[in-house]
Every structure is written in structure tokens, then in C-alpha cells.
Amino acid sequence: MWYTLGLVLLWHVLTNMPALWILMVCSILVGLFPIRHPRWWKYGLLALMALVMSMLWNGLSTLTFGTVGQITGLGGLGYGLAVVVVDLVTVILLATTVQWWVGRWLLARWYGFKPRS
């Protein structure tokens, strides 16, 4: 259920994203979902699936391309590759870091994690 909710959230952001900070906030939210034993590559697959779904739906928003284009200074095919890289790196780093630090340390009891003995 949490992976589906994360996928929908990331898909919605990528089709309507006016700024990169919204993707960052949503990546942090996905990292806060109480998913047991997630791995960085699972967050990467989630981000990649959301990106593919949003491109199949109606392409990425022009605001997404504009935001990433301002960051990278690329055009054409470089835009598309930069969007993929920025999206994957943002979601993987933020979601994994938040899940690790918040989930494992601050909310361990709520998430059901037990300390190693």
C-alpha cells in the first residue's frame, strides 16, 4: 500500500511540478512512509516507475523541464537525461536518508524495528 501511495504521489508531482523543492518534499514524505526494510534501489525503481508513468500520461510538465534545465543548463536530449538523473538521485538520496535516520532511530518503535542484539 505504501509503495502505491508513494508512486501516485511522485507521479502527481512529476506531472505538475512547478519547482524542484516540491519533488524534494515529496521524496522526504515517501521516506517517512512506514515501509519495512526498504532499500535504496526500491526507491529508485519507485521514482523510475513514476517518471515513466508521467511521461506516458502526457509527457513531463514543461515546468519540470524548465526547472531541471535551469539547474543543468542542458537542452534537447540532455534535458530528458537530466530529468531522469535529477529525479532518481533526489528521490533515492532523500527518501533513503529520511527512512534511515527517522525510521530507524526516531520512529523505530512505530515502524516495528527492533534493536539488534
Side-chain angles (χ1 to χ4, degrees):
M1 175 187 136
W2 293 109
Y3 283 117
T4 305
L5 187 59
L7 183 64
V8 170
L9 178 66
L10 292 173
W11 169 77
H12 179 70
V13 166
L14 287 171
T15 53
N16 301 296
M17 187 173 77
L20 185 64
W21 68 269
I22 294 176
L23 178 63
M24 294 171 71
V25 169
C26 287
S27 300
I28 289 170
L29 286 177
V30 169
L32 285 173
F33 290 160
I35 301 171
R36 289 181 60 92
H37 310 298
R39 301 287 184 259
W40 66 268
W41 57 268
K42 290 182 182 178
Y43 287 125
L45 286 176
L46 196 67
L48 194 58
M49 285 173 48
L51 192 61
V52 168
M53 283 174 51
S54 62
M55 293 175 100
L56 291 175
W57 180 258
N58 61 354
L60 286 171
S61 72
T62 55
L63 295 171
T64 304
F65 277 107
T67 301
V68 176
Q70 287 176 357
I71 294 170
T72 61
L74 298 171
L77 179 62
Y79 265 154
L81 295 175
V83 167
V84 172
V85 169
V86 169
D87 175 58
L88 289 177
V89 168
T90 301
V91 174
I92 289 171
L93 285 178
L94 289 175
T96 306
T97 303
V98 167
Q99 194 279 332
W100 178 257
W101 288 104
V102 175
R104 297 278 171 115
W105 300 107
L106 300 178
L107 301 174
R109 209 172 277 159
W110 182 51
Y111 278 29
F113 291 120
K114 295 179 182 174
R116 293 182 181 177
S117 52

